[in-house]
Amino acid sequence: MSFTNPLGRGPTVFVVPVGEAEGSRAAAAALACEGAEADRPALLIEVGGRPPRPTLLATGVAQGLARRLGAHLPQARVAARGQVCHLAVAAEPEGWEEVAAAVDVARGAPAVIHLPPASLQDALTSQTGPRPSAVLLRADLDRDRALVGLLVRELLPRGLSVAVLKSRLPWVGERRALFGALPAANPAGLPGRMVRRLLGAGSESGQALILALAGALALIAAALALVAIAGAVTGKGRAQRTADLVAISVVRSMRDDVDRLLAPPRLASGSPNPNHIDKRTYLGRARAAGLVAARENEVDADRVEITFPDAGSFAPVRAKAVITASLEVGGGEAVQASAEAEAAAPYGSAAGGATGMASGGGYGGPLVYRDGEGMRPDVAAAYDRMTAAARADGLALIVVSGFRSDAEQAALFAAHPDPTWVAPPGHSLHRCATELDLGPASAYAWLAANAARFGFAQRYSWEPWHYGFATGPEPCSAAGETSTTVNGAAAGSSSVPAFVPAQFRPTILRAAARWGVAPALLAGQLMAESGFDPNVGSPAGAQGIAQFMPSTAAAYGLRNPYDPEEAIDAEAHLMADLLRQFGSPELALAAYNAGPAPVEACHCIPPYPETQAYVTRILAMIGGPGLMPMPSFEVRLVA
């Protein structure tokens, strides 16, 4: 694919992420690779990015351009990587002078400039930097459609060709692109139409192209229409946006405090628990967070109304904000804007507290899931500590890839049969449940500096995302299959509390893995129901270690409630159903004790002393959010 420019000057393309969209750096690298030719490299400039490192597979022409840039710009951070010459500059005015000089030195070669959103305006109006011929926006249209429409509307009058990449590139394609090693047939996944539009001679300048890699084409007209509604900066549009921000701020406070709300009021010693807050304090803190958000958006507190639609529940997670605004036109007409936000706590195989059993790889023990990816329990415990430290430093880590069976690795290798990039089945350490591919890219420097403190080692110098747990038992070892603690500490949700008798521990782990329920939750129930006595009965007719009533036992196929293995499996099955139905462990416990009907009627723990004591006792026994970590919360607008 050739993009020869008859004027002898290569095209310049800006690549910019929108909102929280990820993968823009890899998209910029893939675009640069597509513009490179056998006798002409491409130039990739990272504005505000980390210094690049050269690769052994750099082509001669890329190395030649790197030497020329080094001679003209002695302070430049430059490296040849595959077919591309990488340059990192500061996001400052002097950085743009360096960009202009680099593009001049690379005259005739395409230049792809990856820059943060905050630098876009300065880049477009700079008198010293290069003028782009096209802009590629990496954006999630479902979330940021209005913002994309606003950006496109501002870019088109400048005579620029604009494309929007809706989905990030495939994983292997991103890795190849970042190393400047894209062969023919464009394996990175950038559509040819997009590449031609951005790197062509500019005949389609002034047009916009939305490419939805995960679905159908999205029309730019729809985004522009939304700008008039959600992108307004005055009047009702501004009030609506402020209401959204207030509601989200309230719910984020609730999300951060819910573990304190659910913590037992008293410690085992009987003294007050300093980590516990009551519901009034919980809601008061959330309301205060919303008023701060309103004030920061120049809205007076007397124009804000914050309510909690589920305030009567055991743990409210919803908030509604109403902002009253007066327009400055039309005689000061009063308008109202409202927004409602909700925090959802999903339970299931991808939830923070879910477990499973590995199979088909080098590891066959229990799995704990983070961001939908499985790992060994001790690895999860160490990752949780590392995540907390990263969050304190302003970074949100995510797990991109964890445990992979040999079959999954074989499928990946068949799609990309290059052992330089993908290990053959049976060789990848991912089969041992000790390896994590982490993101986002903005966290790579933090990981390099801090991961070792939590027992993780960067396995390969050329993969800044790949870390293996190097402190616990060896990968794919017999000791690793039973590792549920780290330095004596409980390993997250897959650990079984110490009060569980040894003969019941394997049964609880198997049932928890089969039905996706935290083992600590099952253990706490069994202690409260029977004290682990398989032969106990109650005057009301409940039977066995899990205290099943005959009708419930029949509904779940439990033939012998006095058989511990059969009863614990049925208990886990029932709890999985209740967790899906009610969305929180405390409501599921209440329904197990009192039946689903009264819980469904109020979406709360019913006002029965026995049920309230039952829930409180179990949460206290398992340490509340300690051995049974709360699922990760999503905060989203619902109205």
Side-chain angles (χ1 to χ4, degrees):
M1 186 180 294
S2 177
F3 302 99
T4 304
N5 190 317
L7 299 179
R9 188 181 185 88
T12 300
V13 182
F14 287 174
V15 179
V16 185
V18 177
E20 299 179 2
E22 297 180 345
S24 59
R25 181 170 177 263
L31 190 61
C33 289
E34 286 298 328
E37 296 181 358
D39 59 348
R40 184 193 67 185
L43 177 62
L44 174 61
I45 302 177
E46 288 269 4
V47 177
R50 61 183 182 277
R53 292 182 294 182
T55 62
L56 296 176
L57 300 177
T59 63
V61 291
Q63 292 174 339
L65 178 55
R67 287 192 293 270
R68 294 201 305 274
L69 287 171
H72 285 81
L73 303 168
Q75 305 301 318
R77 299 174 294 173
V78 61
R81 297 169 65 84
Q83 301 163 288
V84 179
C85 184
H86 288 235
L87 174 68
V89 302
E92 305 292 344
E94 56 269 22
W96 281 109
E97 296 178 5
E98 197 171 336
V99 169
V103 172
D104 189 61
V105 170
R107 184 179 297 274
V112 179
I113 303 175
H114 180 243
L115 66 159
S119 301
L120 178 59
Q121 183 65 30
D122 292 339
L124 292 172
T125 58
S126 172
Q127 299 300 313
T128 58
R131 186 182 184 281
S133 55
V135 177
L136 172 62
L137 302 174
R138 166 68 188 100
D140 294 330
L141 288 181
D142 292 339
R143 181 178 56 197
D144 294 318
R145 186 185 299 268
L147 181 56
V148 170
L150 181 61
L151 284 171
V152 171
R153 190 173 68 175
E154 292 180 352
L155 292 170
L156 290 182
R158 298 175 181 269
L160 301 174
S161 182
V162 183
V164 181
L165 189 64
K166 181 180 178 182
S167 302
R168 65 185 301 172
L169 304 179
W171 175 66
V172 172
E174 285 194 349
R175 296 176 68 179
R176 288 184 179 275
L178 291 170
F179 278 82
L182 286 185
N186 189 11
L190 277 175
R193 185 181 173 201
M194 173 179 282
V195 173
R196 290 190 296 272
R197 174 71 57 84
L198 295 170
L199 295 179
S203 60
E204 299 181 78
S205 178
Q207 301 180 26
L209 177 66
I210 304 288
L211 289 174
L213 297 187
L217 293 177
L219 300 178
I220 189 63
L224 292 175
L226 285 175
V227 170
I229 300 172
V233 295
T234 59
K236 188 170 183 176
R238 184 169 180 269
Q240 178 67 57
R241 189 172 65 248
T242 303
D244 291 349
L245 292 173
V246 170
I248 288 175
S249 297
V250 172
V251 175
R252 280 178 174 167
S253 173
M254 298 164 80
R255 175 198 62 187
D256 294 341
D257 283 348
V258 71
D259 58 340
R260 299 187 62 191
L261 175 68
L262 297 178
R266 294 191 173 274
L267 301 175
S269 63
S271 58
N273 184 354
N275 290 323
H276 172 75
I277 58 175
D278 58 25
K279 188 161 70 173
R280 175 175 295 185
T281 304
Y282 170 74
L283 296 180
R285 287 166 58 89
R287 188 185 303 276
L291 293 178
V292 169
R295 186 165 57 250
E296 291 179 349
N297 284 274
E298 301 178 352
V299 174
D300 294 336
D302 57 3
R303 292 189 176 185
V304 183
E305 180 185 359
I306 299 172
T307 56
F308 302 96
D310 60 344
S313 68
F314 181 76
V317 291
R318 299 178 65 193
K320 183 176 181 180
V322 177
I323 307 294
T324 304
S326 297
L327 296 178
E328 297 179 358
V329 296
E333 175 191 358
V335 298
Q336 275 197 340
S338 67
E340 187 174 343
E342 180 179 357
Y347 241 89
S349 61
T355 62
M357 293 297 289
S359 63
Y363 172 72
L367 290 174
V368 177
Y369 287 84
R370 298 292 184 265
D371 300 318
E373 297 292 330
M375 62 198 74
R376 226 167 60 180
D378 55 337
V379 178
Y383 172 74
D384 288 344
R385 293 194 296 274
M386 185 166 68
T387 299
R391 188 181 300 113
D393 289 340
L395 292 170
L397 296 181
I398 58 172
V399 182
V400 178
S401 182
F403 172 77
R404 287 198 295 268
S405 67
D406 287 341
E408 291 170 324
Q409 191 71 24
L412 185 62
F413 186 77
H416 308 282
D418 183 348
T420 304
W421 299 95
V422 179
H427 294 271
S428 171
L429 288 177
H430 279 280
R431 65 199 295 271
C432 304
T434 55
E435 310 303 295
L436 302 178
D437 289 344
L438 301 173
S442 57
Y444 291 164
W446 188 93
L447 287 166
N450 294 279
R453 291 195 291 127
F454 304 95
F456 290 95
Q458 185 177 347
R459 294 297 194 192
Y460 311 108
S461 61
W462 59 88
E463 291 188 348
W465 54 84
H466 182 173
Y467 283 82
F469 189 59
T471 305
E474 290 295 319
C476 292
S477 65
E481 304 232 349
T482 58
S483 176
T484 57
T485 61
V486 181
N487 297 328
S493 63
S494 72
S495 62
V496 179
F499 59 73
V500 178
Q503 67 266 35
F504 298 121
R505 298 173 75 87
T507 304
I508 290 173
L509 276 175
R510 282 193 298 271
R514 180 183 181 189
W515 298 107
V517 180
L521 183 60
L522 299 179
Q525 277 188 287
L526 294 170
M527 174 64 87
E529 293 285 355
S530 66
F532 294 99
D533 183 352
N535 302 310
V536 70
S538 77
Q543 302 171 329
I545 194 170
Q547 289 291 278
F548 269 90
M549 296 296 289
S551 59
T552 308
Y556 279 83
L558 177 56
R559 293 169 296 181
N560 181 8
Y562 297 103
D563 181 332
E565 186 149 347
E566 190 178 347
I568 292 172
D569 185 78
E571 173 207 9
H573 188 178
L574 174 55
M575 282 302 294
D577 289 347
L578 294 174
L579 285 164
R580 280 191 294 270
Q581 181 178 353
F582 295 107
S584 73
E586 61 276 3
L587 294 184
L589 288 170
Y592 192 99
N593 178 263
V599 178
E600 184 68 41
C602 67
H603 200 69
C604 68
I605 297 179
Y608 308 153
E610 177 190 342
T611 302
Q612 293 184 339
Y614 176 82
V615 174
T616 301
R617 181 188 176 197
I618 291 174
L619 291 179
M621 271 194 296
I622 64 177
L627 285 178
M628 188 192 66
M630 292 300 297
S632 57
F633 280 81
E634 295 175 348
V635 176
R636 64 181 186 273
L637 290 174
V638 296

